[in-house]
Amino acid sequence: MATLSIRIDLGPENRVGPGKIQLLEMIAEHGSISAAGRAIGMSYRRAWMLIEALNTGFGRPVVEAHIGGRSGGGARLTTFGADLVQHYRAIEQAAAKAAAPFLTGIDGGMPTAGERDTGPPSEAGHRTGRPAG
């Protein structure tokens, strides 16, 4: 089954996609960057680097980390980080709904290379399998 994956490019070095959003969700769930990384099979170093890239890219923190101590360290999403996750998931849901009929066509309805029409393109510049006009 075809699925849609959304990556939002906010600038040359600032991108948000499914991996970073999943990491943020796991931090919210586990209360720790290391536990979040373990939950998705990511090293602590990689998880920390992704969080730092988000914090830097947005110019404000998406995650606040607390240094360990007697009760141990931890991390939590800032209000902005929680809003980022919520907005990303809303965009993802709206895009998936809009793309659903097209994904169905891609998944099973598109002709294979041997079945493609070799006739002239339609008025829109796409081969449709139907005569233009």
Side-chain angles (χ1 to χ4, degrees):
M1 181 175 147
T3 60
L4 184 65
S5 179
I6 302 292
R7 184 182 87 180
I8 302 169
D9 296 325
L10 299 156
E13 299 297 320
N14 192 14
R15 296 174 189 87
V16 178
K20 288 178 182 172
I21 294 298
Q22 183 184 26
L23 177 60
L24 293 177
E25 289 171 332
M26 290 296 103
I27 290 169
E29 182 177 325
H30 295 282
S32 156
I33 294 171
S34 59
R38 279 192 304 274
I40 58 177
M42 182 183 292
S43 72
Y44 173 79
R45 184 180 191 302
R46 177 73 176 144
W48 182 257
M49 288 173 49
L50 291 175
I51 296 306
E52 282 299 303
L54 285 168
N55 288 344
T56 301
F58 283 108
R60 57 184 160 164
V62 295
V63 172
E64 292 178 336
H66 304 284
I67 304 301
R70 181 173 277 186
S71 61
R76 68 174 186 84
L77 299 186
T78 63
T79 300
F80 176 70
D83 287 346
L84 175 62
V85 170
Q86 183 180 11
H87 285 99
Y88 177 89
R89 290 302 184 197
I91 290 166
E92 186 179 55
Q93 186 176 25
K97 184 177 179 180
F102 302 102
L103 291 175
T104 300
I106 290 171
D107 197 30
M110 291 186 69
T112 62
E115 299 172 329
R116 288 191 189 117
D117 177 28
T118 57
S122 68
E123 291 177 24
H126 303 283
R127 297 190 188 282
T128 62
R130 288 177 259 135

